[in-house]
Amino acid sequence: MTYSPQALLNHVARLQQPDGLFASERSNPAWFYRRADTNVFFTAITVFTLQGLRERLSEAEQGIVDGLSRQAIAAYKGFRNKDGLDTYNFYRTAPSQHFPHGFLFRHFRHFQLPDDIDDTAMVYLTTVPNRTALNGLKTKLSYHANGVQSVAPNTFPEYRQLAAYSTWFGKNMPVELDACALSNLLYCLYQYDLPRNHHDADSLTFLRAIVETDRYRTDPFRCAHNYARTSLIIYHLARFIGAFDPPELRAIRPKLILDARAALAGTTNRMEQVLLATSLLRLGEAVDRLDVTGMETDVAGFHFFIAGLLSAYSQPWLYRWAHRPFWHIRWRCEAYNWALVLEYVVLADESVAG
C-alpha cells in the first residue's frame, strides 16, 4: 500500500465494519490466548483521531471522515449505561456482553466492567453532547473521585490524598488513577470548557507529579495501569498539553520534550517512534522525518492498552505481581494503529509545509 494521507485514510475506512465499529482483538501470548473483541473504545478513539485531523485534509478526505464518523456514532448507543444514564461502557450493555467471543470471562459477573471515563470522554468528544449531559457528567465524576467514597489503593502513597478523578464509575470498583485516562478526560472537560474544581486541580497535580518525579519513566505501570508504557503516557500528555496548554502543566513541558526525544532515539519499535514523533510535533517541536513505509508488520503487532488482572487488588502480595506481562491482556486494533500512522504523516507534512 502507499502511505499518502488519502491512501491511509481510505485504508482505515475500508476496515470499518457494517455495524459502524472497528474490529479489535485481545490476547495474552503467555496463555496462548487470542480472541476477537467488540468494544466502543477503539471505534471512538479512531473517530476522535480522524476528526482531529479533519481540517487538515482535503474536501474529499473530509467527506470520508464525516461518513465513517456517522456510522460509528450510530453504534455508540449499544454501549450506553445499562440504566440509560449518560456514561459509556467499554462493552455492550443491557445485557452486558463483556469479553465477547470467549469461553470463560463472559460467563462471570466478576469480569463485568463498570462504565469508565475513557470511553465516556471519547464518546463525548466525537459527538455533540448537550449541556445537561455535560453538567451531569461533571457531577458524577466528583462522586467517584479519589477520597470521596474510597481511596485509590495502588497509586503512590504521596498521591493518595489527591482528589483526582478515578478511571471507573462503578461503586464496587476500586478507585484508580491512570495518567492516560485522566488526560483523555481532562481533554474532554477543557474542550467543553466545563467549570473547574478541586478534582480538576488535583488531577493536573497528579499528571505534573509523575513527570517531575520521573515516575512515568521508572514505573509507568503504576502511573497508568491500563497503558503501562512511557511512550503512551507521553502521547496522551502531549496531545492534551498541545491542545490546551494548561498553566498547571507548563513547568513539565521542557522535561516532557527532552524525555520524548530520548525515548524516540532509544526505541526501535516503529509504532512507538510514530507515537513519540507525533507527541513532539504536538508540542511544537521539529522532528526528523520517519520512514513509515512497509509498516504492515509493525501495525499488526502493536497493542495500545492492557488490562492488568491484578491491578485492582489492594493486597500487597497480589499487587506486587500486577506489573508482570503474564497477568496482562493486551488489546489492539488495526484500524486505530493505521489512524495513528495517518496522524503522524499529516502532522509531519504540516510541519514541513510550515
Side-chain angles (χ1 to χ4, degrees):
M1 64 176 288
T2 58
Y3 288 79
S4 67
Q6 183 172 359
L8 289 166
L9 179 59
N10 285 335
H11 186 59
V12 172
R14 285 193 294 270
L15 292 171
Q16 189 171 32
Q17 301 175 141
D19 62 2
L21 300 175
F22 290 101
S24 63
E25 71 170 24
R26 60 187 191 270
S27 65
N28 182 310
W31 309 347
F32 302 99
Y33 172 84
R34 175 171 291 183
R35 302 286 185 270
D37 199 76
T38 303
N39 61 76
V40 78
F41 182 67
F42 276 119
T43 297
I45 60 175
T46 300
V47 172
F48 173 67
T49 302
L50 298 180
Q51 287 182 348
L53 300 174
R54 186 183 183 280
E55 299 308 313
R56 296 175 164 97
L57 302 175
S58 70
E59 185 175 349
E61 292 162 351
Q62 290 178 2
I64 296 172
V65 171
D66 294 344
L68 67 81
S69 295
R70 283 193 297 271
Q71 288 182 264
I73 290 167
Y76 288 173
K77 59 182 180 293
F79 301 85
R80 190 177 177 184
N81 175 271
K82 63 183 178 63
D83 298 317
L85 303 177
D86 290 322
T87 53
Y88 287 82
N89 201 283
F90 185 76
Y91 285 128
R92 293 189 190 276
T93 58
S96 174
Q97 296 181 32
H98 53 288
F99 290 92
H101 315 296
F103 304 108
L104 180 63
F105 294 159
R106 68 187 180 92
H107 294 294
F108 295 92
R109 290 191 64 187
H110 176 77
F111 296 105
Q112 185 174 334
L113 301 176
D115 298 351
D116 64 85
I117 63 174
D118 246 355
D119 292 296
T120 300
M122 284 299 156
V123 167
Y124 276 48
L125 282 165
T126 53
T127 56
V128 186
N130 60 45
R131 187 53 53 172
T132 299
L134 289 167
N135 291 337
L137 173 63
K138 200 73 195 298
T139 300
K140 190 167 186 174
L141 286 167
S142 296
Y143 182 74
H144 292 280
N146 187 40
V148 175
Q149 299 183 73
S150 60
V151 174
N154 293 325
T155 191
F156 301 96
E158 298 93 317
Y159 309 149
R160 286 180 184 154
Q161 82 285 357
L162 292 175
Y165 295 118
S166 174
T167 300
W168 307 102
F169 288 115
K171 62 183 179 180
N172 296 321
M173 193 76 169
V175 173
E176 178 184 76
L177 306 185
D178 183 300
C180 297
L182 281 172
S183 296
N184 288 338
L185 176 65
L186 288 168
Y187 195 112
C188 179
L189 301 181
Y190 274 63
Q191 178 70 32
Y192 294 112
D193 196 24
L194 294 177
R196 313 280 194 267
N197 58 29
H198 68 290
H199 298 301
D200 302 275
D202 280 7
S203 297
L204 290 164
T205 297
F206 176 78
L207 296 180
R208 184 176 66 248
I210 64 168
V211 177
E212 287 177 336
T213 60
D214 215 33
R215 282 173 168 149
Y216 84 131
R217 293 179 62 246
T218 60
D219 197 352
F221 176 76
R222 205 167 183 184
C223 294
H225 284 141
N226 303 296
Y227 295 87
R229 278 178 286 176
T230 301
S231 59
L232 289 171
I233 299 175
I234 289 174
Y235 175 78
H236 284 83
L237 285 172
R239 184 168 64 185
F240 172 53
I241 293 171
F244 300 104
D245 190 27
E248 297 89 341
L249 299 185
R250 285 175 187 162
I252 64 170
R253 189 173 184 135
K255 178 170 168 43
L256 198 63
I257 291 169
L258 288 174
D259 290 344
R261 288 198 179 280
L264 177 58
T267 185
T268 58
N269 184 302
R270 297 179 75 194
M271 282 301 299
E272 294 218 351
Q273 291 174 350
V274 164
L275 288 171
L276 292 162
T278 298
S279 301
L280 288 164
L281 291 168
R282 291 284 187 196
L283 294 171
E285 294 294 300
V287 185
D288 290 341
R289 187 72 182 233
L290 299 177
D291 177 8
V292 297
T293 59
M295 287 194 64
E296 285 80 1
T297 300
D298 307 275
V299 165
F302 185 74
H303 67 276
F304 191 71
F305 76 93
I306 64 170
L309 297 188
L310 302 182
S311 301
Y313 289 98
S314 58
Q315 296 91 339
W317 65 274
L318 273 176
Y319 186 73
R320 66 182 293 190
W321 302 100
H323 70 286
R324 295 179 179 270
F326 180 85
W327 299 107
H328 299 168
I329 298 177
R330 304 172 179 180
W331 269 263
R332 61 170 292 276
C333 171
E334 181 183 356
Y336 181 58
N337 288 349
W338 284 118
L340 291 172
V341 177
L342 170 63
E343 179 184 36
Y344 166 72
V345 169
V346 171
L347 295 182
D349 285 350
E350 182 180 74
S351 176
V352 170

